Amino acid sequence: MFKKILLFLKNSKIWRSLKVRLFIIMFLTGMLPAVLMRAGILENYENRAVDVRVSDVQTQLRIIANHLITYNYLQDTSSEVIGAELEQLSNLYNGRVLIINGNLKVVKDTYGISEGKTIISEEVIRCMKGSGTVNYDAVNRFIEITVPIVENVTLPQPAEDGSKSRDMVRGVMLTSVSTDSIVNTMDILSRKAMIMESIMVIGIFAFALMLVQVMVRPFERVTKAINEMKEGYRDEPISVPDYLETEHIVEAFNSLLERMKALDDSRQEFVANVSHELKTPITSVKVLADSLLAQPDAPAELYREFMEDIATEIEREDKIINDLLALVKQDKSVAEMNISVVDLNALTEIILKRLRPIARKKNIEITMISKRQVKAEVDEVKMSLILTNLVENAIKYNREQGKVEVSLDADHQFFTVQVKDTGIGIPEEYINQIYERFYRVDKSHSKEIGGTGLGLAITRSAVLLHRGSIKAESVEGKGTTFTVKIPLSRTLVPV
Ligand code: ADP
């Protein structure tokens, strides 16, 4: 049964409760001093009471011992005066007095039992040598005291040290006095202390219980507020400023909530943007088709012109869908990275070769500066995407006869690709927003350029998958420089 209770307590969650722990700590810290104090006071009292009793009895015994010599009691026990003194002493301390002569024979016993008997005990023999003894027996509740009966004898001739008399031990007074009265007082004290202690137990129990309730309440308020939020009753930030700790928890929770809200907002915005972007080409196609249908006898040239416009819109729709798919695919997981050692100089050359015809349409010159040969552990497809998007933008947002300069460099840890153009530039205030999905600085202009606003979002996500960084510097009207920095090896940089 006891084992079962222990097992239950061990497995029970109760010990993990802050309330229970606080309660136990408070209760013990409240009770421990009280218990220790009771034990300390009682023990102190006992020692002190025994000491006083011993010294009282010793004084009395010494006085009587002197009288014993005066009345020559060891030889003749008939003195009534001494008899009365002994009787008074034994009555006063509820004890027994034995008077033992130099032959260790009992000449007087106030109990009258041992008279005439010889006593050979360690204490008596030690006392015969001149030093009295004291023995306190707490279990049997008595104190045994021996006092030597000393006679001052005048020497026939002075001793070597010049003294004319010497103390001679003629016998021993052996007394045992009861300590019942001390024990009784201690019992009374102990009982009173117990009553006080019981009152304190109840008081401290109630106090600790109350305090724990009050102390833990802010934590319960935090839980309640979080639950309310979970169930949707409230959506304003929680505030429980009672403790620094609760404030920290609440702050952490609020910032998590804010992040979740921001994520939710951005998701909603993304969905809205996607719908809008996908709808625009379709609306155009519908308008074009409707206007053709409204003219049953439209000339073939008009048909052709409208059909060309429709094809352009469909192409744009296709491009948006492809970009979206690329973005979603990249968002999915890092595990889809297909890492191999890639010669970046060669890769850049190939990409530039592919893009030069587009650049030529605007008479833009593309140059490449290879500061060193760079081989790195990257995903070749994603790396191509990064380079293509950056160079494509550098062409798209360039002026006629502009320049694009691509440079490749590396140190022992990272390689850097820099794409520099002489184009329209990006206003300072928008420089951090260009990586947002569907973000375009100049919406109307972008449309005629043919951007979807997804290119840099894809690029940045691909750079991050390589644990790299991307940075843009721009002077409006002068040009833009994008710098991508990526670790040479996957193992070089910790996750
Ligand atoms: P888009 O498909 O519109 O080019 P991006 O995500 O690639 O979308 O770029 C976002 C916006 O950033 C662009 O619409 C453009 O306004 C701006 N931008 C990007 N690259 C450049 C550049 N090299 N020079 C000037 N503006 C740029």
Side-chain angles (χ1 to χ4, degrees):
M1 179 68 186
F2 185 63
K3 259 190 178 172
K4 261 189 188 169
I5 294 174
L6 266 184
L7 202 74
F8 168 75
L9 285 177
K10 209 176 151 193
N11 294 335
S12 155
K13 274 186 181 173
I14 202 167
W15 301 117
R16 282 172 42 214
S17 151
L18 178 65
K19 258 190 198 176
V20 172
R21 287 185 188 193
L22 273 178
F23 175 76
I24 292 174
I25 292 170
M26 273 187 224
F27 187 67
L28 288 184
T29 26
M31 279 317 295
L32 212 68
V35 173
L36 289 180
M37 225 155 78
R38 180 173 70 101
I41 288 173
L42 283 180
E43 176 155 343
N44 224 333
Y45 169 77
E46 186 180 7
N47 291 340
R48 175 102 188 97
V50 168
D51 282 352
V52 169
R53 177 69 50 94
V54 166
S55 92
D56 279 359
V57 175
Q58 273 175 335
T59 315
Q60 297 283 336
L61 287 177
R62 271 190 212 109
I63 294 168
I64 298 176
N66 282 338
H67 291 175
L68 291 180
I69 294 295
T70 318
Y71 287 91
N72 200 17
Y73 195 79
L74 290 172
Q75 272 75 42
D76 174 12
T77 58
S78 61
S79 163
E80 276 180 21
V81 178
I82 303 286
E85 277 180 1
L86 290 175
E87 208 57 44
Q88 194 187 14
L89 182 73
S90 67
N91 283 344
L92 190 62
Y93 295 110
N94 189 15
R96 177 182 182 184
V97 185
L98 273 83
I99 297 178
I100 301 157
N101 69 13
N103 302 325
L104 304 179
K105 195 162 266 173
V106 178
V107 295
K108 172 76 184 167
D109 176 0
T110 51
Y111 279 16
I113 307 166
S114 304
E115 276 165 16
K117 288 184 184 162
T118 306
I119 285 194
I120 308 172
S121 82
E122 202 190 320
E123 282 76 23
V124 172
I125 290 171
R126 204 178 320 146
C127 189
M128 277 295 182
K129 289 178 184 155
S131 55
T133 61
V134 175
N135 257 336
Y136 172 45
D137 187 335
V139 180
N140 297 312
R141 300 180 177 188
F142 70 86
I143 313 170
E144 195 181 74
I145 304 167
T146 62
V147 167
I149 304 166
V150 181
E151 185 180 358
N152 193 270
V153 187
T154 315
L155 293 171
Q157 56 199 52
E160 275 169 25
D161 56 3
S163 55
K164 293 196 176 110
S165 64
R166 177 171 293 164
D167 284 345
M168 302 280 280
V169 178
R170 297 293 187 209
V172 169
M173 288 183 81
L174 173 66
T175 325
S176 55
V177 288
S178 160
T179 54
D180 277 352
S181 62
I182 296 176
V183 173
N184 285 346
T185 316
M186 269 173 62
D187 275 351
I188 294 167
L189 271 180
S190 172
R191 222 169 299 135
K192 279 189 178 161
M194 280 289 261
I195 294 170
M196 292 241 309
E197 229 171 65
S198 310
I199 295 169
M200 272 174 84
V201 169
I202 298 167
I204 292 172
F205 188 91
F207 182 69
L209 209 65
M210 210 175 68
L211 211 65
V212 162
Q213 294 287 356
V214 174
M215 280 176 82
V216 174
R217 202 164 292 151
F219 289 99
E220 289 172 347
R221 269 214 295 277
V222 172
T223 318
K224 192 170 157 245
I226 292 178
N227 278 335
E228 276 177 5
M229 198 163 258
K230 197 175 73 190
E231 281 153 25
Y233 301 145
R234 58 187 284 174
D235 56 357
E236 74 269 24
I238 305 173
S239 162
V240 184
D242 305 54
Y243 298 134
L244 267 183
E245 286 78 1
T246 51
E247 208 173 292
H248 289 163
I249 296 175
V250 163
E251 269 169 18
F253 180 77
N254 282 340
S255 65
L256 173 76
L257 205 72
E258 234 166 67
R259 238 194 87 195
M260 276 165 59
K261 266 190 187 154
L263 271 175
D264 196 44
D265 288 351
S266 105
R267 193 179 54 85
Q268 274 180 11
E269 194 190 309
F270 179 61
V271 171
N273 286 342
V274 168
S275 324
H276 176 76
E277 295 294 327
L278 290 177
K279 238 184 123 197
T280 320
I282 292 197
T283 316
S284 303
V285 169
K286 176 132 176 58
V287 170
L288 289 165
D290 279 352
S291 57
L292 273 183
L293 286 174
Q295 307 174 45
D297 47 356
E301 299 87 70
L302 196 70
Y303 262 100
R304 192 171 178 75
E305 197 194 320
F306 275 35
M307 274 313 192
E308 268 168 16
D309 287 349
I310 288 175
T312 314
E313 291 300 333
I314 290 174
E315 218 171 87
R316 185 171 158 71
E317 182 93 14
D318 188 50
K319 193 166 168 7
I320 296 173
I321 290 173
N322 281 338
D323 276 358
L324 270 174
L325 284 177
L327 197 66
V328 170
K329 218 165 123 193
Q330 224 156 236
D331 272 353
K332 254 208 241 148
S333 116
V334 187
E336 282 175 24
M337 293 282 277
N338 197 355
I339 301 292
S340 61
V341 177
V342 175
D343 179 344
L344 280 151
N345 303 69
L347 182 72
T348 318
E349 290 285 7
I350 294 169
I351 288 163
L352 293 190
K353 201 171 155 198
R354 211 186 292 151
L355 294 173
R356 271 199 183 98
I358 307 170
R360 220 167 285 140
K361 283 186 199 160
K362 279 168 93 177
N363 289 320
I364 290 166
E365 188 194 340
I366 304 183
T367 47
M368 173 166 173
I369 305 167
S370 292
K371 292 193 177 151
R372 65 190 75 233
Q373 282 297 313
V374 180
K375 281 202 168 87
E377 290 174 13
V378 291
D379 180 320
E380 192 168 353
V381 177
K382 291 194 170 72
M383 201 61 224
S384 308
L385 207 68
I386 296 171
L387 290 167
T388 311
N389 278 342
L390 290 180
V391 179
E392 251 178 13
N393 278 354
I395 299 167
K396 273 196 301 192
Y397 301 103
N398 220 321
R399 56 179 165 78
E400 281 280 333
Q401 283 164 344
K403 281 195 171 69
V404 175
E405 194 181 282
V406 181
S407 56
L408 188 63
D409 195 5
D411 57 19
H412 62 288
Q413 262 196 323
F414 297 93
F415 71 88
T416 15
V417 183
Q418 224 171 41
V419 181
K420 198 168 165 186
D421 64 53
T422 52
I424 55 170
I426 304 164
E428 175 109 37
E429 64 264 38
Y430 302 130
I431 205 109
N432 289 322
Q433 295 173 47
I434 52 175
Y435 305 104
E436 286 170 18
R437 292 172 290 198
F438 294 115
Y439 187 80
R440 279 163 291 185
V441 174
D442 178 356
K443 299 220 163 30
S444 53
H445 191 63
S446 277
K447 197 171 175 213
E448 104 206 9
I449 288 172
T452 61
L454 290 170
L456 282 180
I458 297 171
T459 307
R460 195 173 92 109
S461 138
V463 170
L464 293 183
L465 281 177
H466 283 92
R467 295 174 202 156
S469 61
I470 181 165
K471 187 176 78 179
E473 284 161 310
S474 187
V475 179
E476 219 182 327
K478 283 247 164 75
T480 310
T481 307
F482 277 92
T483 311
V484 172
K485 196 170 169 188
I486 287 175
L488 285 168
S489 158
R490 301 285 292 171
T491 49
L492 262 176
V493 177
V495 184

